[in-house]
Every structure is written in structure tokens, then in C-alpha cells.
Amino acid sequence: MKVQCKRMTATIGAPEVQQLIGLQGAGELVVFMTLGTYSRDALALERQRPGLRLITGEDIVSLVLEHYPALPERWRTIMPLTPLLVVADTAS
């Protein structure tokens, strides 16, 4: 597996994703993570290319929230989160 991470919030285009694909071995998974988003062309590459996964900043937040309870205590200490209850807009 190969992973490329970018902490920029800009849109990542197909050329950046193609550079990572160029490093992909046969049957290997490659992951591109960014705090930003991806262009349409980059997303089209993901749909066409087996073993390519593009993860956005929004995806990262969702994954952390989903898996937070299962994180080791060490990581939860570094990144403490407190649950917050909010009344839904649909409440009557």
C-alpha cells in the first residue's frame, strides 16, 4: 500500500492523482488523502482505477468520528472529543 497525504485545503486535480497511480504496483492499494477536495477528473480516475482511494478532509472527519470509540486510549488522550447532543430540526 502507498499513501500520499496533503494538508492543503485546495482542490487536488488529476495530474497529482496520476503521479500516485504511477507508483502503484500490480494488485496494490494506493490512497490519496487531502484536507481539501478533488476535481471531477480526479474523481473519474478513482472510478476507473481499481485499488485507488481518494479521501477528503470531510471523509477524514467522518472516519475519526465513526471509529473514535475503538481508538486506543493513547490516541483518544492526544485527541480528546466530547459527545454533544443537539435537538434535531425535525423535532416537533
Side-chain angles (χ1 to χ4, degrees):
M1 178 191 311
K2 292 186 175 73
V3 179
Q4 182 171 350
C5 300
K6 298 285 186 184
R7 67 177 190 177
M8 53 206 259
T9 56
T11 299
I12 301 294
E16 292 94 334
V17 174
Q18 286 171 330
Q19 286 178 350
L20 179 61
I21 290 171
L23 301 173
Q24 185 178 20
E28 186 175 42
L29 176 65
V30 291
V31 180
F32 199 121
M33 299 177 76
T34 181
L35 294 178
T37 58
Y38 295 95
S39 69
R40 284 188 189 152
D41 290 342
L43 293 170
L45 285 172
E46 181 184 33
R47 287 189 297 274
Q48 298 165 2
R49 185 75 182 199
L52 171 64
R53 179 76 164 102
L54 304 180
I55 299 177
T56 66
E58 190 173 312
D59 295 333
I60 293 167
V61 170
S62 295
L63 287 166
V64 168
L65 293 176
E66 180 181 343
H67 298 285
Y68 187 79
L71 288 175
E73 180 65 30
R74 173 176 163 246
W75 288 104
R76 286 184 282 138
T77 300
I78 292 170
M79 185 177 49
L81 298 180
T82 302
L84 176 66
L85 301 175
V86 177
V87 176
D89 289 340
T90 57
S92 41

Coordinates of all heavy atoms in Angstrom, one line a residue:
M1 N 0.8 -1.2 0.0 CA 0.0 0.0 0.0 C 0.9 1.2 0.0 O 1.9 1.3 0.7 CB -0.9 0.0 1.2 CG -1.8 1.3 1.2 SD -2.7 1.7 2.7 CE -3.5 0.3 3.2
K2 N 0.5 2.2 -0.8 CA 1.1 3.5 -0.8 C 0.1 4.6 -0.4 O -1.0 4.5 -0.9 CB 1.8 3.8 -2.1 CG 2.9 2.9 -2.4 CD 3.6 3.2 -3.7 CE 4.8 2.4 -4.0 NZ 4.6 1.0 -4.4
V3 N 0.5 5.5 0.4 CA -0.4 6.6 0.8 C 0.3 8.0 0.6 O 1.5 8.1 0.9 CB -0.8 6.5 2.3 CG1 -1.7 7.6 2.7 CG2 -1.4 5.2 2.6
Q4 N -0.4 8.9 0.0 CA 0.1 10.3 -0.2 C -0.9 11.2 0.6 O -2.1 11.1 0.4 CB 0.1 10.7 -1.7 CG 0.7 12.0 -1.9 CD 1.0 12.4 -3.3 OE1 0.9 11.5 -4.2 NE2 1.3 13.6 -3.6
C5 N -0.3 12.0 1.4 CA -1.1 13.0 2.2 C -0.8 14.4 1.9 O 0.4 14.7 1.8 CB -0.9 12.7 3.7 SG -1.3 11.0 4.2
K6 N -1.8 15.2 1.8 CA -1.6 16.7 1.6 C -2.5 17.4 2.6 O -3.6 17.1 2.8 CB -2.1 17.1 0.2 CG -1.3 16.5 -1.0 CD 0.0 17.1 -1.1 CE 0.7 16.5 -2.3 NZ 2.0 17.1 -2.5
R7 N -1.8 18.3 3.3 CA -2.6 19.1 4.3 C -3.2 20.4 3.8 O -3.7 21.2 4.5 CB -1.8 19.3 5.6 CG -0.6 20.2 5.4 CD 0.1 20.5 6.7 NE 1.0 21.5 6.5 CZ 1.8 22.0 7.4 NH1 1.7 21.5 8.6 NH2 2.6 23.0 7.2
M8 N -3.1 20.5 2.5 CA -3.7 21.7 1.9 C -5.2 21.6 1.7 O -5.7 20.5 1.6 CB -3.0 22.0 0.5 CG -3.0 20.9 -0.4 SD -1.6 20.9 -1.6 CE -2.4 21.5 -3.0
T9 N -5.9 22.7 1.7 CA -7.3 22.7 1.5 C -7.8 23.0 0.1 O -9.0 23.1 -0.2 CB -8.0 23.7 2.5 OG1 -7.5 25.0 2.3 CG2 -7.8 23.3 3.9
A10 N -6.8 23.1 -0.8 CA -7.2 23.3 -2.2 C -7.7 22.1 -2.9 O -7.7 21.0 -2.3 CB -5.9 23.8 -3.0
T11 N -8.2 22.2 -4.1 CA -8.7 21.1 -4.9 C -7.6 20.4 -5.5 O -6.7 21.0 -6.2 CB -9.7 21.6 -5.9 OG1 -10.8 22.2 -5.3 CG2 -10.2 20.4 -6.8
I12 N -7.5 19.1 -5.4 CA -6.5 18.2 -6.0 C -7.0 17.8 -7.3 O -8.1 17.3 -7.5 CB -6.2 17.0 -5.1 CG1 -5.7 17.4 -3.7 CG2 -5.2 16.1 -5.8 CD1 -4.4 18.1 -3.6
G13 N -6.1 18.0 -8.3 CA -6.5 17.6 -9.7 C -6.0 16.3 -10.2 O -5.2 15.6 -9.4
A14 N -6.4 15.9 -11.3 CA -6.0 14.6 -11.9 C -4.5 14.4 -12.0 O -4.0 13.3 -11.8 CB -6.7 14.4 -13.3
P15 N -3.7 15.5 -12.4 CA -2.3 15.3 -12.5 C -1.6 14.8 -11.2 O -0.7 13.9 -11.2 CB -1.7 16.6 -12.9 CG -2.9 17.3 -13.6 CD -4.1 16.8 -12.9
E16 N -2.0 15.3 -10.1 CA -1.5 14.9 -8.8 C -1.8 13.4 -8.5 O -1.0 12.6 -8.0 CB -1.9 15.8 -7.6 CG -1.4 17.2 -7.7 CD -2.4 18.2 -8.4 OE1 -3.2 17.7 -9.2 OE2 -2.3 19.3 -8.1
V17 N -3.1 13.1 -8.8 CA -3.5 11.7 -8.6 C -2.8 10.7 -9.5 O -2.4 9.6 -9.1 CB -5.0 11.6 -8.7 CG1 -5.5 10.1 -8.6 CG2 -5.7 12.4 -7.7
Q18 N -2.6 11.2 -10.8 CA -1.9 10.3 -11.7 C -0.4 10.0 -11.3 O 0.1 8.9 -11.6 CB -1.9 11.0 -13.1 CG -3.3 10.9 -13.8 CD -3.4 11.7 -15.0 OE1 -2.8 12.7 -15.2 NE2 -4.3 11.2 -15.9
Q19 N 0.2 11.0 -10.6 CA 1.6 10.8 -10.1 C 1.6 9.6 -9.1 O 2.5 8.8 -9.2 CB 2.1 12.0 -9.5 CG 2.5 13.1 -10.4 CD 3.0 14.4 -9.8 OE1 2.9 14.5 -8.5 NE2 3.5 15.3 -10.5
L20 N 0.6 9.6 -8.3 CA 0.5 8.5 -7.3 C 0.2 7.2 -8.0 O 0.8 6.1 -7.7 CB -0.6 8.8 -6.2 CG -0.8 7.7 -5.2 CD1 0.5 7.5 -4.4 CD2 -2.0 8.1 -4.3
I21 N -0.7 7.2 -9.0 CA -1.0 6.0 -9.8 C 0.2 5.4 -10.4 O 0.4 4.2 -10.5 CB -2.1 6.3 -10.8 CG1 -3.5 6.5 -10.1 CG2 -2.3 5.1 -11.8 CD1 -4.6 7.0 -11.0
G22 N 1.1 6.3 -10.9 CA 2.4 5.9 -11.5 C 3.2 5.0 -10.6 O 4.1 4.3 -11.0
L23 N 3.0 5.1 -9.3 CA 3.8 4.4 -8.3 C 3.1 3.1 -7.9 O 3.7 2.3 -7.1 CB 4.1 5.2 -7.0 CG 4.8 6.5 -7.3 CD1 4.8 7.3 -6.0 CD2 6.2 6.3 -7.8
Q24 N 1.9 2.9 -8.4 CA 1.1 1.7 -7.9 C 1.6 0.4 -8.6 O 1.7 0.3 -9.8 CB -0.4 2.0 -8.3 CG -1.3 0.9 -7.8 CD -2.8 1.2 -8.2 OE1 -3.0 2.0 -9.1 NE2 -3.7 0.6 -7.5
G25 N 1.9 -0.6 -7.7 CA 2.3 -1.9 -8.2 C 1.0 -2.7 -8.5 O -0.1 -2.4 -8.2
A26 N 1.2 -3.8 -9.2 CA 0.1 -4.7 -9.6 C -0.6 -5.2 -8.3 O 0.1 -5.7 -7.4 CB 0.7 -5.9 -10.4
G27 N -1.9 -5.0 -8.2 CA -2.7 -5.5 -7.1 C -2.5 -4.7 -5.9 O -3.0 -5.1 -4.8
E28 N -1.8 -3.5 -5.9 CA -1.5 -2.7 -4.8 C -2.6 -1.6 -4.6 O -3.1 -1.1 -5.5 CB -0.1 -2.1 -4.9 CG 0.4 -1.3 -3.7 CD 1.8 -0.8 -3.9 OE1 2.1 -0.3 -5.0 OE2 2.6 -0.9 -3.0
L29 N -2.9 -1.3 -3.3 CA -3.8 -0.3 -3.0 C -3.0 1.0 -2.8 O -1.9 1.0 -2.2 CB -4.5 -0.6 -1.7 CG -5.4 0.5 -1.1 CD1 -6.6 0.7 -2.1 CD2 -5.9 0.1 0.3
V30 N -3.5 2.1 -3.4 CA -2.9 3.4 -3.2 C -4.0 4.4 -2.7 O -5.2 4.3 -3.2 CB -2.3 4.0 -4.5 CG1 -1.0 3.2 -4.9 CG2 -3.2 4.0 -5.7
V31 N -3.7 5.2 -1.8 CA -4.6 6.1 -1.1 C -4.1 7.5 -1.2 O -2.9 7.7 -0.8 CB -4.9 5.7 0.4 CG1 -5.8 6.6 1.0 CG2 -5.3 4.3 0.5
F32 N -4.9 8.4 -1.6 CA -4.5 9.9 -1.6 C -5.4 10.5 -0.6 O -6.6 10.5 -0.7 CB -4.7 10.4 -3.0 CG -4.0 11.7 -3.3 CD1 -3.1 11.8 -4.3 CD2 -4.2 12.9 -2.5 CE1 -2.4 13.0 -4.6 CE2 -3.5 14.0 -2.7 CZ -2.6 14.1 -3.8
M33 N -4.8 11.2 0.4 CA -5.6 11.9 1.4 C -5.3 13.3 1.4 O -4.1 13.7 1.3 CB -5.2 11.3 2.8 CG -5.5 9.9 3.0 SD -5.0 9.2 4.6 CE -6.3 9.9 5.6
T34 N -6.3 14.2 1.5 CA -6.1 15.6 1.5 C -7.2 16.2 2.4 O -8.3 15.7 2.6 CB -6.3 16.2 0.1 OG1 -6.0 17.6 0.2 CG2 -7.6 16.0 -0.6
L35 N -6.8 17.4 3.0 CA -7.8 18.1 3.8 C -8.8 18.8 2.8 O -9.9 19.2 3.3 CB -7.1 19.1 4.7 CG -6.3 18.5 5.8 CD1 -5.6 19.6 6.6 CD2 -7.1 17.6 6.7
G36 N -8.5 18.9 1.6 CA -9.3 19.6 0.6 C -10.2 18.6 -0.1 O -10.7 17.7 0.5
T37 N -10.5 18.9 -1.4 CA -11.4 18.1 -2.2 C -10.6 17.7 -3.5 O -9.5 18.0 -3.7 CB -12.6 18.9 -2.6 OG1 -12.2 20.1 -3.3 CG2 -13.4 19.3 -1.4
Y38 N -11.4 17.0 -4.4 CA -10.8 16.5 -5.6 C -11.6 17.1 -6.8 O -12.8 17.2 -6.7 CB -10.8 15.0 -5.7 CG -9.9 14.4 -4.6 CD1 -10.4 14.0 -3.4 CD2 -8.6 14.2 -4.9 CE1 -9.6 13.4 -2.4 CE2 -7.7 13.7 -3.9 CZ -8.3 13.3 -2.7 OH -7.4 12.8 -1.7
S39 N -10.9 17.3 -7.9 CA -11.6 17.7 -9.1 C -12.4 16.6 -9.7 O -12.2 15.4 -9.3 CB -10.6 18.2 -10.2 OG -9.8 17.1 -10.6
R40 N -13.3 16.9 -10.6 CA -14.1 15.9 -11.3 C -13.2 14.9 -12.0 O -13.5 13.7 -12.0 CB -15.0 16.6 -12.3 CG -16.2 17.2 -11.7 CD -17.2 17.6 -12.8 NE -18.2 18.5 -12.2 CZ -18.9 19.4 -12.8 NH1 -18.6 19.6 -14.1 NH2 -19.8 20.1 -12.2
D41 N -12.1 15.4 -12.7 CA -11.2 14.5 -13.4 C -10.5 13.5 -12.4 O -10.3 12.4 -12.7 CB -10.2 15.3 -14.2 CG -10.8 16.1 -15.3 OD1 -11.9 15.7 -15.8 OD2 -10.1 17.0 -15.8
A42 N -10.2 14.0 -11.2 CA -9.5 13.2 -10.2 C -10.5 12.1 -9.8 O -10.1 10.9 -9.6 CB -9.0 14.0 -9.1
L43 N -11.7 12.5 -9.5 CA -12.8 11.5 -9.1 C -13.1 10.5 -10.2 O -13.3 9.3 -9.9 CB -14.0 12.3 -8.6 CG -13.9 13.1 -7.4 CD1 -15.1 14.0 -7.2 CD2 -13.6 12.3 -6.2
A44 N -13.0 10.9 -11.4 CA -13.2 10.0 -12.5 C -12.1 8.9 -12.5 O -12.4 7.8 -12.8 CB -13.3 10.7 -13.9
L45 N -10.9 9.4 -12.2 CA -9.8 8.4 -12.1 C -10.0 7.3 -11.1 O -9.7 6.2 -11.3 CB -8.4 9.1 -11.8 CG -7.8 9.9 -13.0 CD1 -6.6 10.7 -12.4 CD2 -7.4 8.9 -14.1
E46 N -10.6 7.8 -9.9 CA -10.9 6.8 -8.9 C -11.9 5.8 -9.3 O -11.8 4.6 -9.0 CB -11.4 7.6 -7.6 CG -11.7 6.7 -6.5 CD -12.3 7.4 -5.3 OE1 -13.0 8.4 -5.5 OE2 -12.0 6.9 -4.1
R47 N -12.9 6.2 -10.0 CA -13.9 5.3 -10.5 C -13.3 4.3 -11.5 O -13.8 3.1 -11.6 CB -15.1 6.0 -11.1 CG -16.0 6.7 -10.1 CD -17.2 7.3 -10.8 NE -17.0 8.3 -11.8 CZ -16.8 9.6 -11.5 NH1 -16.8 10.1 -10.3 NH2 -16.6 10.5 -12.5
Q48 N -12.4 4.7 -12.3 CA -11.8 3.9 -13.4 C -10.7 3.0 -12.9 O -10.4 2.0 -13.5 CB -11.2 4.8 -14.5 CG -12.3 5.6 -15.2 CD -11.6 6.7 -16.0 OE1 -10.4 6.8 -16.1 NE2 -12.5 7.6 -16.6
R49 N -10.0 3.3 -11.8 CA -8.8 2.7 -11.4 C -9.0 1.8 -10.2 O -9.2 2.3 -9.1 CB -7.8 3.7 -11.1 CG -6.4 3.2 -10.7 CD -5.7 2.7 -12.0 NE -4.4 2.2 -11.7 CZ -3.5 2.0 -12.5 NH1 -3.6 2.4 -13.8 NH2 -2.3 1.5 -12.2
P50 N -8.9 0.5 -10.3 CA -9.0 -0.4 -9.2 C -7.9 -0.2 -8.2 O -6.7 0.1 -8.6 CB -8.9 -1.8 -9.8 CG -9.1 -1.7 -11.2 CD -8.8 -0.3 -11.6
G51 N -8.2 -0.2 -6.9 CA -7.1 -0.1 -5.9 C -6.7 1.4 -5.6 O -5.8 1.6 -4.9
L52 N -7.5 2.3 -6.2 CA -7.2 3.8 -5.9 C -8.4 4.3 -5.0 O -9.5 4.1 -5.3 CB -7.2 4.6 -7.2 CG -7.2 6.1 -7.0 CD1 -5.9 6.6 -6.3 CD2 -7.3 6.8 -8.4
R53 N -8.0 4.9 -3.9 CA -9.0 5.5 -3.0 C -8.6 6.9 -2.7 O -7.5 7.2 -2.4 CB -9.0 4.7 -1.7 CG -9.9 5.2 -0.7 CD -11.4 4.8 -1.0 NE -12.2 5.0 0.2 CZ -13.0 6.0 0.4 NH1 -13.1 7.0 -0.6 NH2 -13.8 6.1 1.4
L54 N -9.5 7.9 -2.9 CA -9.3 9.3 -2.7 C -10.1 9.6 -1.4 O -11.3 9.4 -1.4 CB -9.8 10.1 -3.9 CG -9.2 9.8 -5.2 CD1 -9.7 10.7 -6.3 CD2 -7.7 9.9 -5.2
I55 N -9.5 10.2 -0.4 CA -10.1 10.6 0.8 C -10.0 12.1 1.0 O -8.9 12.6 1.0 CB -9.5 9.8 2.0 CG1 -9.6 8.3 1.8 CG2 -10.0 10.2 3.3 CD1 -9.0 7.4 2.8
T56 N -11.1 12.7 1.3 CA -11.2 14.2 1.5 C -11.1 14.5 3.0 O -11.2 13.6 3.8 CB -12.5 14.8 1.0 OG1 -13.6 14.3 1.8 CG2 -12.7 14.4 -0.5
G57 N -10.9 15.8 3.3 CA -10.9 16.2 4.7 C -12.2 15.8 5.4 O -12.2 15.4 6.5
E58 N -13.3 16.0 4.7 CA -14.6 15.6 5.2 C -14.7 14.1 5.5 O -15.2 13.7 6.6 CB -15.8 16.0 4.2 CG -17.1 15.8 4.8 CD -18.2 16.4 3.9 OE1 -18.0 17.5 3.3 OE2 -19.2 15.7 3.7
D59 N -14.1 13.3 4.7 CA -14.0 11.8 4.9 C -13.2 11.5 6.1 O -13.6 10.7 6.9 CB -13.4 11.1 3.7 CG -14.2 11.2 2.4 OD1 -15.4 11.3 2.5 OD2 -13.6 11.1 1.4
I60 N -12.1 12.3 6.3 CA -11.2 12.0 7.5 C -12.0 12.3 8.8 O -11.9 11.5 9.7 CB -10.0 12.9 7.4 CG1 -9.1 12.4 6.2 CG2 -9.2 12.8 8.7 CD1 -8.0 13.4 5.8
V61 N -12.7 13.4 8.8 CA -13.5 13.7 10.0 C -14.6 12.7 10.2 O -14.7 12.2 11.4 CB -14.2 15.1 9.8 CG1 -15.2 15.4 10.9 CG2 -13.1 16.2 9.8
S62 N -15.3 12.2 9.2 CA -16.3 11.2 9.4 C -15.7 9.9 9.9 O -16.2 9.2 10.8 CB -17.0 10.9 8.1 OG -17.7 12.1 7.7
L63 N -14.5 9.5 9.4 CA -13.9 8.3 9.8 C -13.4 8.4 11.3 O -13.6 7.4 12.0 CB -12.7 8.0 8.9 CG -13.0 7.5 7.5 CD1 -11.8 7.5 6.6 CD2 -13.6 6.1 7.6
V64 N -12.9 9.5 11.6 CA -12.5 9.7 13.0 C -13.7 9.6 14.0 O -13.6 8.9 15.0 CB -11.7 11.0 13.2 CG1 -11.6 11.4 14.7 CG2 -10.4 11.0 12.6
L65 N -14.7 10.3 13.6 CA -15.9 10.2 14.5 C -16.5 8.8 14.5 O -17.0 8.4 15.6 CB -17.0 11.2 14.0 CG -16.6 12.7 14.1 CD1 -17.7 13.6 13.5 CD2 -16.3 13.1 15.6
E66 N -16.6 8.1 13.4 CA -17.1 6.8 13.4 C -16.3 5.8 14.2 O -16.9 4.9 14.9 CB -17.2 6.3 11.9 CG -17.8 4.9 11.8 CD -17.8 4.5 10.3 OE1 -17.7 5.4 9.4 OE2 -18.0 3.3 10.1
H67 N -15.0 5.9 14.2 CA -14.1 4.9 14.8 C -13.5 5.4 16.1 O -12.7 4.6 16.7 CB -13.0 4.5 13.8 CG -13.6 3.8 12.6 ND1 -14.1 2.6 12.6 CD2 -13.8 4.3 11.3 CE1 -14.5 2.3 11.4 NE2 -14.4 3.3 10.6
Y68 N -13.8 6.6 16.5 CA -13.2 7.1 17.7 C -13.3 6.2 19.0 O -12.3 6.0 19.6 CB -13.8 8.5 18.0 CG -13.1 9.2 19.2 CD1 -11.9 9.9 19.0 CD2 -13.7 9.3 20.5 CE1 -11.3 10.6 20.0 CE2 -13.0 9.9 21.5 CZ -11.8 10.6 21.2 OH -11.2 11.2 22.3
P69 N -14.5 5.7 19.2 CA -14.6 4.8 20.4 C -13.6 3.6 20.4 O -13.2 3.1 21.4 CB -16.0 4.3 20.4 CG -16.8 5.3 19.6 CD -15.8 5.8 18.6
A70 N -13.2 3.1 19.2 CA -12.4 2.0 19.1 C -10.9 2.4 19.1 O -10.0 1.5 19.1 CB -12.7 1.2 17.8
L71 N -10.6 3.6 19.1 CA -9.2 4.1 19.1 C -8.5 3.7 20.4 O -9.2 3.8 21.5 CB -9.0 5.6 18.9 CG -9.3 6.1 17.5 CD1 -9.3 7.6 17.5 CD2 -8.3 5.6 16.5
P72 N -7.3 3.4 20.4 CA -6.6 3.1 21.7 C -6.6 4.4 22.6 O -6.6 5.5 22.1 CB -5.1 2.8 21.3 CG -5.2 2.4 19.9 CD -6.4 3.1 19.3
E73 N -6.6 4.2 23.9 CA -6.6 5.3 24.8 C -5.6 6.4 24.5 O -5.8 7.6 24.7 CB -6.5 4.8 26.3 CG -6.6 5.8 27.3 CD -7.9 6.5 27.4 OE1 -8.9 5.9 27.1 OE2 -7.9 7.7 27.8
R74 N -4.4 5.9 24.1 CA -3.3 6.8 23.8 C -3.8 7.9 22.8 O -3.5 9.1 22.9 CB -2.1 6.1 23.3 CG -1.0 6.9 22.8 CD 0.2 6.0 22.4 NE 1.1 6.8 21.6 CZ 1.3 6.5 20.3 NH1 0.8 5.5 19.7 NH2 2.1 7.3 19.6
W75 N -4.4 7.5 21.7 CA -4.9 8.4 20.7 C -6.0 9.2 21.2 O -6.1 10.4 20.8 CB -5.2 7.6 19.4 CG -4.0 7.1 18.8 CD1 -3.6 5.8 18.8 CD2 -3.0 7.8 18.0 NE1 -2.4 5.7 18.1 CE2 -2.0 6.9 17.6 CE3 -2.9 9.2 17.7 CZ2 -0.9 7.3 16.9 CZ3 -1.7 9.5 17.0 CH2 -0.8 8.6 16.6
R76 N -6.9 8.7 22.0 CA -8.0 9.5 22.5 C -7.5 10.5 23.5 O -8.2 11.6 23.6 CB -9.1 8.5 23.1 CG -9.9 7.8 22.0 CD -11.0 7.0 22.5 NE -10.4 5.7 23.1 CZ -10.8 5.2 24.2 NH1 -11.8 5.7 24.9 NH2 -10.2 4.1 24.7
T77 N -6.4 10.3 24.1 CA -5.8 11.3 25.0 C -5.2 12.4 24.2 O -5.4 13.6 24.6 CB -4.7 10.6 25.9 OG1 -5.4 9.6 26.7 CG2 -4.1 11.6 26.8
I78 N -4.6 12.1 23.1 CA -4.0 13.1 22.2 C -5.1 13.9 21.6 O -4.9 15.1 21.4 CB -3.1 12.4 21.1 CG1 -1.9 11.8 21.8 CG2 -2.7 13.4 20.1 CD1 -1.1 10.9 20.9
M79 N -6.2 13.3 21.2 CA -7.3 14.0 20.5 C -8.6 13.8 21.3 O -9.5 13.0 20.9 CB -7.4 13.3 19.1 CG -8.3 14.0 18.2 SD -8.3 13.2 16.5 CE -8.4 11.5 16.8
P80 N -8.7 14.4 22.4 CA -9.9 14.2 23.2 C -11.2 14.8 22.6 O -11.2 16.0 22.1 CB -9.6 14.9 24.5 CG -8.6 15.9 24.2 CD -7.8 15.4 23.0
L81 N -12.3 14.1 22.5 CA -13.5 14.5 21.9 C -14.6 14.3 23.0 O -14.6 13.3 23.7 CB -13.9 13.8 20.7 CG -13.0 13.9 19.5 CD1 -13.5 13.0 18.3 CD2 -12.8 15.3 19.0
T82 N -15.5 15.2 23.1 CA -16.7 15.2 24.0 C -17.9 15.1 23.2 O -18.2 15.9 22.3 CB -16.7 16.4 24.9 OG1 -15.4 16.5 25.6 CG2 -17.8 16.3 25.9
P83 N -18.8 14.1 23.5 CA -20.1 14.0 22.8 C -21.0 15.2 23.1 O -20.9 15.7 24.2 CB -20.7 12.7 23.3 CG -19.6 12.0 24.0 CD -18.6 13.0 24.4
L84 N -21.7 15.6 22.1 CA -22.6 16.8 22.3 C -24.0 16.4 21.7 O -24.0 16.0 20.5 CB -22.0 18.0 21.6 CG -22.9 19.2 21.6 CD1 -23.0 19.8 23.0 CD2 -22.3 20.3 20.7
L85 N -25.0 16.5 22.5 CA -26.4 16.2 22.0 C -27.0 17.5 21.5 O -26.9 18.6 22.1 CB -27.2 15.6 23.1 CG -26.7 14.3 23.7 CD1 -27.6 13.8 24.8 CD2 -26.6 13.2 22.6
V86 N -27.6 17.5 20.3 CA -28.3 18.6 19.7 C -29.7 18.2 19.3 O -29.9 17.1 18.8 CB -27.5 19.1 18.5 CG1 -28.2 20.3 17.8 CG2 -26.1 19.4 18.8
V87 N -30.7 19.1 19.6 CA -32.0 18.8 19.2 C -32.1 18.9 17.7 O -31.7 19.9 17.1 CB -33.0 19.9 19.9 CG1 -34.4 19.7 19.4 CG2 -32.9 19.8 21.4
A88 N -32.7 17.9 17.1 CA -32.9 17.9 15.6 C -33.8 18.9 15.1 O -34.8 19.2 15.8 CB -33.3 16.5 15.2
D89 N -33.6 19.4 14.0 CA -34.5 20.4 13.4 C -35.9 19.8 13.1 O -36.9 20.6 13.1 CB -34.0 20.9 12.0 CG -32.7 21.7 12.2 OD1 -32.5 22.3 13.2 OD2 -32.0 21.9 11.2
T90 N -36.0 18.5 13.0 CA -37.3 17.9 12.7 C -38.2 17.7 14.0 O -39.3 17.2 13.9 CB -37.1 16.6 12.0 OG1 -36.3 15.7 12.9 CG2 -36.4 16.8 10.7
A91 N -37.6 18.1 15.2 CA -38.4 17.8 16.4 C -39.6 18.7 16.4 O -39.6 19.8 15.9 CB -37.5 18.2 17.6
S92 N -40.7 18.1 16.9 CA -42.0 18.9 16.9 C -42.3 19.4 18.3 O -41.9 19.0 19.3 CB -43.1 18.1 16.4 OG -43.1 16.8 16.8

